[in-house]
Amino acid sequence: MADTVSSGLDRVLARVRRLPGAQHWRRCVVPACALGVCALLLLVLQHLSQTVDYRSVVVQLCHLSAPEWAGALGATAVSYVALVGRDAVGLRYVGATVPRIPLWVGATVGSALGNVTGFGALTGGAVRCRVYGVAGVTPVQVGQMTVFTSVTLALALALMTAAGMLASAGTLSGMIGLAPGTLRMIGAAVLAGFAVLIVACRATPTRVQLTQRFSLTFTVPARRDLIAQLALAVADVVAASVALWTLLPHGGAHVGFGQFLTVYAAAMLLGLIGHTPGGVGVFEAAMVCVLGASVPTPQMLAALLAYRAIYFGVPLVLSAGVLAAFEGRAQQAARASALAQRGAKSVSQLAPLFLAICTFVVGSMLVISGATPAFSKRIAILQTVLPLWVMESSQMLASLFGVLLLFVARGLLRRLDAAWWLALMIAALNLGLSLAKGLAFVETGVLCVLIVLLIATRERFNRHSSLFAERFTPGWLASVGMVIALAVWIFLFAFRDVEYSHHLWWQFAFDERAPRALRATLGASLFAAALACWQLLRPAAGRFEKPAEGDLIEAAGVVRAQERSDAVLAMMGDKSFLFSESRNAFLMYAKRGRTWAALHDPVGPRSEWPALIQRFVALAHAHGGRAAFYQVRADALPLYLDAGLTLMKLGEEAHIALPAFELKGSHRAHLRYALKRGERDGFSIEVIEAARVPDALPVLREISDAWLASRVAREKSFSVAAFTASYLAAQSVMLLRQHGEPLAFVTFMTTDLNTEATVGVMRHLPGASPYAMEYLFTQLALHLKSAGFGSLSLGVAPLSGMRPTPLASPWHRGAALAWRFGGWFYNFRGLRGFKDKFQPRWEPRYLAASGSMSVFLTLADLSRLAGGARS
């Protein structure tokens, strides 16, 4: 019977998983539940704070003494020492050992991040995998250790709550809603269960298999490990509770420590079950609800806020210092030991995760700060030095920048360089805004810490991609929504005594703090909603996908059947294909950011070009992108104009008319000299046909690698020929030897029609004669002429032929200036001068792209495409 029910349940679950959109709905359920829990918590806090005003809480915070702050800091330090001990016991449980420094770093930094985010098993586990992995601890062992410590923490909280049920049943009765006698019975039963559990454990770990069907097994810890872990967890909780206890009025004289500890453990257990970040909301509601009769609510809320700042904020800041120190150590790793090198590198690689969390927290701080009133005394000081419009705009801009940081944090998590630059600029701008809106010194200090962290970890953000190229996950948008909801609630709480009126929106004065906060909160909410809606409603950006093997074969057939030899670049395999309906023609394209870039004109029968061009433009626009056709020829420009694209000249392509190419005459003297000099230097050439290229690849690769290393460069792509085995196999090679030793080579692309050839990959060894490439190209032209080819393309000279005219466009004028004075950045004239030696015919090449000003963004994306970037 049980097997029948189980198999039926499996079939039902399988059908649910196959339902359309089931995966999408699963991704949305957790964020929706989180938003629901957030709304419920805010309603509870609204009910609990009915008799409290914002100013009384702030006053209580300001009245906390230095000894109280110091006591809370000391208790926090003891708690984190216990956390280190818990990790040590957990590592012993999984049979692993870690040196002292990685143990302290992994335990403290992992716990700090896990406490702030509320996903300790994920963020804290990621930290421990990095740090403990240096000592050979596997991710599986870290996962087992995390489960062990998490379960034992819950058991310790249950143990402390059970003990409290016996000692303080009356206090817990109001919190749980059960009679004191019932609570005592439950507590006694739980304690008896713990005794049985400890007795049942053996002296050594024991593996237990739960079910035969699913082979679910777990390891029962040794008795000493369980007792040690429970004792350390109790010490951790007691120390954390002392951190809050010392912040209560008069050392918590209104409530005994035993009762307080019981309530604290139960509230922490509820927060653990609620799984909010650090139990926020659930923990506070439980503490206020139970202790509200013993401790005045304003004092309780002030103590809770200070506790959050000390127990959660201070470790996060100290962890930031640890991360910055390891980042600096990683940059000096050459002088450290092998273990220290691995440790520094491993910890510093946590920078994206850490900076993303810190940036999100700072963004939340800015949004919430904009919803709260500034101190009157500080406003009075600013009133004497700043005009009103500066203060008004500062609070609004700071809130908007805070919202932007909430979204930028995801880009930092993905290691995007654009996100790093934007986060740095926003943090730097907010330094002035935080002071101008109300002399927010704490806020300024936090921003300074973020700036230092960003600068220290710059090398970790090296991905060149658009910040908003990928959609934000529902979970991230839900997190942003919770921050905005909290800011709105805090605004309503802070200005509860201000009667709402439509006139508030238009009141501008130094002492009008409510209207200023109202406008800033509304602006932040609308800005966040606009960004979220844009993310949800914008079309899918699309992804670059390498062509399938079958598409490459079909494209090769089309390329061989036509005369344009530069179409062989399709065989590099780094571009996607868009085929015509007949599949007799295609476009090769790649994607970078919002730019969908097709290389050259379509390949195949010209009659199919117009439809292909229109389809490609529609495809790019359907994904919210910009269509671009790179290096198109002049005779096809009407097709691109008909498609509504903007034209821009890029440069000129050099074509040698091979039937007329000869070495006679004064204008060929330099070529004749290159040949004679080459013969004197022992040059000789060898033509390697496509069939023999695979055998010559090792020799060619050695030359190519040496050439790349001498220029500290990497392979290009898209419009620039690259050294790949599959691409070289589709063309022939001319190899240059000096005294029999390979010195340089050039590949040349041809089609079956043998009417046109195009130069492909060109490489030479460092230190080669300056006449080597000139000799090689001259011999190539002579060889192709004798083979009956009509033309040899030497490639495009960028910005060539860009001459300023009275009616020239701004781009044309700028390109002409770059051609004239840009030699420091790129040798434009030198490249043109080398090709001019062969007296070529110069043909213009153009860019056809969507938009007008966005064309410049397209050019930037095309540059990245040539450098190998894809998105």
Side-chain angles (χ1 to χ4, degrees), residues 355-356 359 405 408 412 419-428 447-461:
L355 263 296
T359 303
L405 279 180
V408 169
L412 292 175
W420 185 90
W421 281 107
L422 192 54
L424 183 64
M425 287 189 291
I426 292 174
L447 288 167
C448 289
V449 171
L450 179 61
I451 291 173
V452 171
L453 282 176
L454 287 168
I455 294 174
T457 57
R458 172 67 185 95
E459 299 300 322
R460 302 301 166 188
F461 301 93

Side-chain angles (χ1 to χ4, degrees), residues 4 27 256 274 431 461 540 597 825:
T4 304
R27 291 175 61 238
L431 288 176
F461 301 93
F825 308 100

Side-chain angles (χ1 to χ4, degrees), residues 809-838:
S809 65
W811 156 252
H812 206 92
R813 292 175 182 272
L817 288 174
W819 168 262
R820 187 175 180 182
F821 300 108
W824 290 350
F825 308 100
Y826 186 85
N827 191 13
F828 297 108
R829 292 193 170 191
L831 182 60
R832 166 95 184 204
F834 175 81
K835 296 177 180 181
D836 261 336
K837 294 179 180 180
F838 297 88

Side-chain angles (χ1 to χ4, degrees), residues 770-854:
Y771 297 97
M773 299 309 291
E774 195 170 334
Y775 178 91
L776 185 57
F777 274 67
T778 303
Q779 292 286 14
L780 176 61
L782 293 173
H783 167 74
L784 292 173
K785 176 181 179 179
S786 64
F789 283 82
S791 174
L792 170 63
S793 171
L794 300 179
V796 175
L799 306 185
S800 176
M802 309 289 280
R803 299 177 183 86
T805 61
L807 299 180
S809 65
W811 156 252
H812 206 92
R813 292 175 182 272
L817 288 174
W819 168 262
R820 187 175 180 182
F821 300 108
W824 290 350
F825 308 100
Y826 186 85
N827 191 13
F828 297 108
R829 292 193 170 191
L831 182 60
R832 166 95 184 204
F834 175 81
K835 296 177 180 181
D836 261 336
K837 294 179 180 180
F838 297 88
Q839 299 294 308
R841 179 182 73 255
W842 291 98
E843 297 181 0
R845 293 293 177 263
Y846 297 88
L847 170 69
S850 303
S852 52
M853 294 304 296
S854 61

Side-chain angles (χ1 to χ4, degrees), residues 281-292:
V282 178
F283 177 80
E284 282 79 6
M287 295 296 293
V288 172
C289 179
V290 178
L291 300 179

